[in-house]
Amino acid sequence: MVHKQITSYFIEHYKTTPTLIKAPGRINIIGEHTDYNEGLVLPASIEKGIYFAVSGNDQNSIQIETFLTQPEKIIFQLNGEHQKFESFWGNYFKAIIEILVAKNYPLKGMDCVFGGDIPIGSGLSSSAALCCGFIYALTKVSGKEISREEIALIAQEAEHKIGLNCGLMDQYAVLFGKKGNAFFLDCKDLSHTYIPINLEGYSWVLVNSNIKHNLAVDSEYNKRRVSCENIVKEVQKYKPEITSLRDVTLEDLEQVTAVANAIDIKRANYIIEENNRVRKMIKVLSDGDANAVGAVLKEGHWAMSTQYEITTNELDALVKIGESLDGVLGSRMMGGGFGGCTINLVKTEELDTSITSLLDQYKEQTGIDAEYYHLAIDDGVKVFE
């Protein structure tokens, strides 16, 4: 177990028993690309995560090291100076420390060893776990509480500082997740509520297509955002109170069809229907209707494929193969698009045969070896006992 390795490494090198903090990764059950349109999302925090072993020190410095990815140690002085570092994660911690210093947060010296079992780059939001877990660790050592809402904003600001213009869904899912529940978040006012996942006898599985996000992703992502904004501008001409696609209806869309770009209409149509799929998913999850859950997943995938056009042939193949297997109730691509993973709802008793068959057929069709991960829905950031 990763957390045991981290704890024993800490005790051996720092001669004290640390506090262990766990920050989970997250999945998104449904609600893709709705967040920047002030829409609805339904993520959940998972068992896989990043663990931080931490303890206060009296050296006026924050020492952070990892021995699991690229072994490296960084020392930040509390006055803001630090040594040069090689690894990407150093930039996140540097940004967080700078933000807290600017807010006059009373930082204290801290020793920290971290590592985890979230597969990096698989769409499980390892960066949000890294940032939220580290900020939470700093507050535990400094003894000055910050609300979880505030931690989410600081983590988001750190990502923006590094150049990733993310919404707040990932941070909220990582901070507020609850075992056995999906987390319904309204991105317009950040109101949220828990939705029990009543699916006994079924398992969530992530299948990594092993198609790396290509370099076009950022420009394609921006094009999608612009399409959404274009439609909002058209609707505003006769409904000036509208500020985002969140409040645009399919009837509004019909009204502007003659004047708006056809591709923009198609993109906006996807977002409006995706918000409705989130509402539908909440109902069928609460009812424990596994077949209906699977149907919403599939509907969401093919809408991303044909309307929003952010999937790939390989991801479409994974979903199509799943549709031919009795044990797979439904699946869809998860995340920004153009690569990454599918999330799948599978009958637990047919799990091994279904996944083996899925991976074999995928390899046959694409020549690519996919990987899979079991997903268990777990709590948000917490002190890990």
Side-chain angles (χ1 to χ4, degrees):
M1 299 294 279
V2 175
H3 63 89
K4 288 186 176 155
Q5 277 179 282
I6 290 165
T7 304
S8 59
Y9 181 93
F10 190 97
I11 292 167
E12 187 190 334
H13 287 78
Y14 293 95
K15 309 294 181 238
T16 178
T17 302
T19 300
L20 192 65
I21 286 151
K22 179 186 176 186
R26 67 103 190 95
I27 51 171
N28 190 23
I29 295 171
I30 194 87
E32 218 64 84
H33 286 261
T34 49
D35 57 347
Y36 55 80
N37 289 295
E38 295 192 345
L40 310 175
V41 291
L42 194 65
S45 50
I46 58 170
E47 217 167 17
K48 292 181 183 302
I50 297 178
Y51 296 88
F52 298 82
V54 296
S55 181
N57 69 32
D58 48 16
Q59 293 171 21
N60 274 331
S61 66
I62 296 171
Q63 309 192 60
I64 313 158
E65 67 177 308
T66 183
F67 61 97
L68 290 165
T69 46
Q70 311 139 284
E72 189 173 0
K73 183 170 183 174
I74 302 174
I75 299 178
F76 291 92
Q77 303 304 327
L78 293 187
N79 63 11
E81 289 173 12
H82 66 91
Q83 308 157 309
K84 281 263 179 284
F85 49 83
E86 296 297 316
S87 48
F88 71 93
W89 53 263
N91 292 312
Y92 287 105
F93 296 153
K94 176 177 185 282
I96 287 164
I97 291 167
E98 285 169 357
I99 292 163
L100 289 171
V101 167
K103 289 182 186 293
N104 293 318
Y105 180 82
L107 285 171
K108 290 200 171 138
M110 174 172 92
D111 299 322
C112 169
V113 176
F114 79 94
D117 54 8
I118 307 182
I120 304 284
S122 58
L124 295 175
S125 211
S126 49
S127 62
L130 194 70
C131 292
C132 295
F134 184 64
I135 297 162
Y136 186 76
L138 287 168
T139 66
K140 279 281 166 253
V141 169
S142 303
K144 185 172 187 290
E145 289 286 313
I146 299 181
S147 73
R148 289 186 179 235
E149 287 82 357
E150 177 77 359
I151 291 175
L153 289 169
I154 294 166
Q156 182 191 36
E157 194 181 328
E159 297 243 22
H160 287 185
K161 240 178 138 113
I162 288 171
L164 295 162
N165 196 10
C166 59
L168 276 167
M169 173 180 93
D170 294 348
Q171 292 81 359
Y172 264 70
V174 163
L175 286 158
F176 291 98
K178 185 170 154 190
K179 192 173 187 147
N181 286 262
F183 178 75
F184 172 51
L185 176 67
D186 185 327
C187 297
K188 187 173 186 177
D189 59 10
L190 296 179
S191 60
H192 49 274
T193 169
Y194 294 104
I195 309 298
I197 300 177
N198 298 318
L199 297 173
E200 283 299 310
Y202 298 91
S203 299
W204 296 99
V205 178
L206 202 71
V207 176
N208 189 345
S209 68
N210 277 329
I211 293 295
K212 292 288 170 258
H213 298 263
N214 60 28
L215 293 173
V217 177
D218 291 345
S219 63
E220 289 297 329
Y221 173 84
N222 289 335
K223 279 183 201 163
R224 301 301 180 283
R225 285 191 83 138
V226 170
S227 277
C228 296
E229 286 156 15
N230 289 343
I231 295 298
V232 171
K233 281 177 195 148
E234 287 300 336
V235 174
Q236 277 172 339
K237 287 175 186 171
Y238 71 96
K239 272 192 170 177
E241 71 278 10
I242 296 283
T243 56
S244 69
L245 271 184
R246 162 59 183 280
D247 297 313
V248 174
T249 64
L250 292 171
E251 292 73 42
D252 294 331
L253 211 50
E254 242 161 52
Q255 291 239 3
V256 299
T257 298
V259 289
N261 173 307
I263 286 188
D264 292 350
I265 290 284
K266 187 160 72 164
R267 303 282 190 254
N269 191 71
Y270 163 78
I271 297 294
I272 295 166
E273 289 180 350
E274 183 75 349
N275 281 324
N276 288 331
R277 275 188 284 274
V278 174
R279 294 185 183 99
K280 199 191 297 176
M281 183 64 93
I282 287 169
K283 184 181 183 318
V284 295
L285 272 180
S286 304
D287 293 347
D289 187 342
N291 287 314
V293 171
V296 178
L297 291 174
K298 286 188 274 201
E299 190 189 303
H301 179 83
W302 294 118
M304 284 190 287
S305 176
T306 59
Q307 295 182 309
Y308 222 57
E309 297 177 290
I310 50 173
T311 67
T312 64
N313 293 337
E314 294 84 2
L315 288 155
D316 288 353
L318 277 173
V319 173
K320 217 176 242 137
I321 295 163
E323 286 177 336
S324 71
L325 297 170
D326 285 344
V328 181
L329 284 88
S331 51
R332 69 173 193 90
M333 181 199 85
M334 188 181 82
F338 309 102
C341 295
T342 59
I343 180 170
N344 305 262
L345 184 65
V346 186
K347 286 181 192 160
T348 307
E349 60 181 24
E350 293 178 43
L351 189 67
D352 294 338
T353 50
S354 297
I355 295 300
T356 303
S357 186
L358 183 65
L359 299 186
D360 288 349
Q361 289 185 53
Y362 179 70
K363 169 85 172 180
E364 216 168 277
Q365 290 180 26
T366 64
I368 299 166
D369 289 306
E371 300 165 311
Y372 74 98
Y373 310 103
H374 291 270
L375 298 173
I377 311 299
D378 206 356
D379 292 323
V381 174
K382 63 176 182 183
V383 173
F384 189 78
E385 299 304 342

